[in-house]
Amino acid sequence: MGRLMVLLFLLGSPGALAEICEIPNVDSKLVERLGQRLLPWMDQLSQEHLNPSIYVGLRLSSVQAGDKEAFYLHSLKLNYQQNLLGLTRVALSYGSVVNWSTGSNDHSDREAKPTMGQLALYMLALRANCELARSHKGDKLVSQLKRFLEDEKNAIGHNHKGHPHTSYYQYGLSILALCVHQKRVHDRVVGKLLHAVEHDRHLHQDHLSVDTAAMAGLAFTCLERSNLNPDLRNRITLALRTVREKILKAQTSEGHFGNVYSSPLALQLLMTSPMRGVQLGKACLKARAALLASLQDGAFQNVLMISQLLPVLNHKSYVDLISPDCLAPRAMLEPVMETLSQTQVSEVIRVTLKVPSVLPPYRHSITVPAGSSLEDVLKKAQELGGFMYGTQSSLLGPYLTSVMGKEVGKREFWQLLRAPDTPLLQGLPPYITEETSL
Ligand code: B12
């Protein structure tokens, strides 16, 4: 009797209670407006613009695009299957080396090859339509992705001293994609991601990226639920706890986990299961408030970012693709009629563009119309002479790969900073809204 009393006391202790990460419903009009931003992109069916993440985001959201959505998946299938045959003919290509589509300034490689992460996103899209990779074609996708992962595992090496050709983000994404199709990857492949988390190394340019940690966590959650690697069960559970705690610790005073753009994936992960001993509920409510404030400020214009956020606003995560609900009712999105904007073309802004890491260092003041993007600034600088740049297209938009003829090498990238040393949160694509110095 005495022991039973003690047990009851422990269970009743508030510290032992598991908290859940709940995101109360947001205004459905807000979700609709976000969904509407995806619609024009769904008319862009060229290989360069097709983006499986848009499809996944919509299917896990509370809104739908009707026939457009089905047609989009059809186009994705046509492109990926066509290019999959290409993949068998050429050497595997990795995200940072050759992209799915060629960059605007680089037309040398017209033969499109989906990268590891893009293939993984495509497999998530198939699963979002309740398809399982069982057919001959499905098997081919699975073996391609497994082959990519195997190569990445070898690149990391048995002593874990190396690095994946792509990133641990794409590594986690690929394990997740195979997992939601109930495809098992070798313990040694999962082991590399576990090791990276356990030793807190290499997850993202040698410091923790919340996006990467969240993606690893989503993959671990799927593996834990599906029990595909039973011998790793304990390590997976521990690593999952580690990434969740790190993400919670990365919450800013405003409420974002990492930054505004890593919060959607972070919330996807935190929402998947309760946690004991931490104030998970409070942290998630704070993150929700911060996200809503950022939404009001127009921070979510990029379709890829919207596609990672929409599931969260519908209380879903990529892990739900283990058993997706393809019959869930979703509100139909109505296209918005474009009103011709009356922008004042006369207004101009001055941007100081600096490239300190080349010899001689470049520094020039450039004037562009208000509402220009950073890429417009680079274009103008190139037209004026004395400046050169190159980009590669990606699911997020143009990614800067070379400046003044200097191409990025392996594990190198052109970082974009606002003077004196604040990393830009959005890169080349968005509009510059104020007088900026880079
Ligand atoms: C890995 C990664 C990187 C790597 C990319 C190289 C590599 N080895 O993979 C590195 C560290 C180099 C990097 C750099 C930057 N990144 Co980054 N990156 C990511 C991450 C974690 C995963 C991207 C990925 O693999 N996606 C999956 C594959 C399948 O999609 P993909 O389109 O083929 O992937 C390519 C592009 O995403 C591209 N890329 C990576 N970052 C960025 C940023 C921009 C603006 C663009 C256009 C492209 C791009 O690199 C990927 C590999 O080729 C995302 C996180 C996320 N939530 O998406 C952040 C993320 C996309 N990055 C971000 C940012 C801001 C940047 C930088 C602009 C930072 C800076 N101030 O310099 C730079 C890009 C500068 C440039 N040269 O144009 C933001 C973008 C937010 C937004 N609204 O636009 C994200 C969401 C991180 C965050 N939470 O802030 N990144």
Side-chain angles (χ1 to χ4, degrees):
M1 184 64 173
R3 279 177 69 183
L4 184 63
M5 288 301 284
V6 172
L7 184 66
L8 285 174
F9 173 71
L10 282 176
L11 285 175
S13 145
L17 278 182
E19 287 200 18
I20 55 169
C21 174
E22 216 172 6
I23 302 290
N25 284 342
V26 299
D27 180 3
S28 61
K29 289 270 168 268
L30 194 76
V31 180
E32 263 169 51
R33 278 201 294 276
L34 277 177
Q36 275 163 338
R37 281 186 205 147
L38 302 182
L39 294 179
W41 292 86
M42 296 181 79
D43 293 327
Q44 305 212 24
L45 301 174
S46 69
Q47 199 168 279
E48 182 178 342
H49 290 105
L50 278 171
N51 185 341
S53 183
I54 293 184
Y55 186 83
V56 177
L58 264 183
R59 289 301 299 247
L60 289 173
S61 77
S62 56
V63 289
Q64 61 155 313
D67 292 347
K68 209 179 244 240
E69 206 172 280
F71 192 64
Y72 199 69
L73 181 64
H74 176 71
S75 309
L76 280 170
K77 284 185 180 177
L78 278 181
N79 267 275
Y80 273 80
Q81 270 148 32
Q82 204 174 61
N83 288 291
L84 183 68
L85 296 171
L87 258 184
T88 56
R89 278 188 279 119
V90 296
L92 297 181
S93 65
Y94 295 93
S96 49
V97 180
V98 185
N99 218 324
W100 162 243
S101 46
T102 51
S104 53
N105 286 17
D106 169 20
H107 298 281
S108 55
D109 189 351
R110 270 279 161 222
E111 193 165 345
K113 312 163 195 78
T115 62
M116 178 169 92
Q118 288 161 351
L119 186 51
L121 281 175
Y122 172 60
M123 288 191 60
L124 289 186
L126 292 180
R127 194 68 198 112
N129 190 40
C130 290
E131 297 180 38
L132 267 175
R134 278 205 189 110
S135 61
H136 175 63
K137 279 180 191 154
D139 282 347
K140 250 179 138 175
L141 291 178
V142 169
S143 11
Q144 284 296 352
L145 198 48
K146 283 192 174 176
R147 208 134 44 97
F148 266 127
L149 273 171
E150 193 66 27
D151 276 18
E152 291 291 66
K153 181 202 84 183
N154 294 338
I156 298 166
H158 65 274
N159 55 6
H160 309 276
K161 291 266 188 312
H163 306 275
H165 297 287
T166 57
S167 59
Y168 278 106
Y169 180 93
Q170 292 197 27
Y171 199 94
L173 176 65
S174 303
I175 293 178
L176 172 70
L178 288 164
C179 174
V180 297
H181 281 270
Q182 298 300 303
K183 299 292 174 189
R184 185 182 182 280
V185 291
H186 202 284
D187 279 359
R188 278 202 287 272
V189 172
V190 179
K192 296 290 175 212
L193 191 59
L194 284 169
H195 186 275
V197 167
E198 289 161 354
H199 294 82
D200 199 10
R201 288 171 49 218
H202 305 324
L203 272 181
H204 187 76
Q205 303 287 312
D206 297 326
H207 69 271
L208 174 107
S209 140
V210 168
D211 309 74
T212 305
M215 192 50 84
L218 289 167
F220 292 147
T221 308
C222 180
L223 293 178
E224 191 181 55
R225 289 197 188 164
S226 313
N227 202 21
L228 289 171
N229 299 78
D231 292 347
L232 297 177
R233 201 169 175 79
N234 290 343
R235 274 178 81 190
I236 289 175
T237 307
L238 269 177
L240 198 45
R241 175 98 202 167
T242 306
V243 283
R244 289 168 140 260
E245 279 171 356
K246 281 192 174 156
I247 288 173
L248 280 171
K249 275 199 196 120
Q251 187 161 36
T252 62
S253 51
E254 285 169 300
H256 294 304
F257 295 114
N259 67 29
V260 52
Y261 300 114
S262 38
S263 290
L265 286 181
L267 280 167
Q268 281 201 32
L269 173 66
L270 294 175
M271 278 177 354
T272 54
S273 26
M275 278 176 94
R276 265 173 217 285
V278 284
Q279 296 200 318
L280 181 64
K282 204 170 145 195
C284 289
L285 284 179
K286 197 171 167 194
R288 174 190 182 266
L291 266 179
L292 288 184
S294 303
L295 275 168
Q296 304 293 350
D297 288 350
F300 282 81
Q301 301 296 332
N302 187 293
V303 281
L304 188 103
M305 291 296 111
I306 294 175
S307 74
Q308 294 181 354
L309 174 64
L310 279 176
V312 174
L313 303 180
N314 192 31
H315 321 286
K316 299 265 184 233
S317 80
Y318 293 157
V319 177
D320 287 298
L321 296 175
I322 297 176
S323 43
D325 178 1
C326 286
L327 299 174
R330 291 181 290 140
M332 185 65 80
L333 289 169
E334 297 298 336
V336 254
M337 288 298 146
E338 285 288 324
T339 47
L340 285 175
S341 65
Q342 305 280 310
T343 30
Q344 300 296 330
V345 278
S346 54
E347 207 188 318
V348 290
I349 54 169
R350 178 174 295 277
V351 180
T352 307
L353 190 58
K354 284 199 254 178
V355 190
S357 54
V358 292
L359 282 174
Y362 173 90
R363 187 195 162 110
H364 210 84
S365 245
I366 291 137
T367 34
V368 285
S372 299
S373 69
L374 184 50
E375 196 180 15
D376 295 331
V377 175
L378 300 192
K379 257 188 212 149
K380 177 90 183 274
Q382 188 157 274
E383 277 161 24
L384 292 171
F387 181 80
M388 274 179 355
Y389 79 101
T391 59
Q392 195 174 44
S393 52
S394 76
L395 302 182
L396 228 99
Y399 174 74
L400 188 65
T401 49
S402 76
V403 177
M404 310 304 251
K406 192 179 178 326
E407 294 277 341
V408 281
K410 267 197 170 178
R411 298 186 46 73
E412 267 185 349
F413 77 104
W414 279 105
Q415 190 182 27
L416 301 169
L417 304 168
R418 179 187 298 269
D421 56 6
T422 312
L424 288 188
L425 280 183
Q426 300 191 68
L428 293 195
Y431 295 120
I432 303 172
T433 49
E434 59 194 67
E435 197 114 334
T436 319
S437 182
L438 298 175

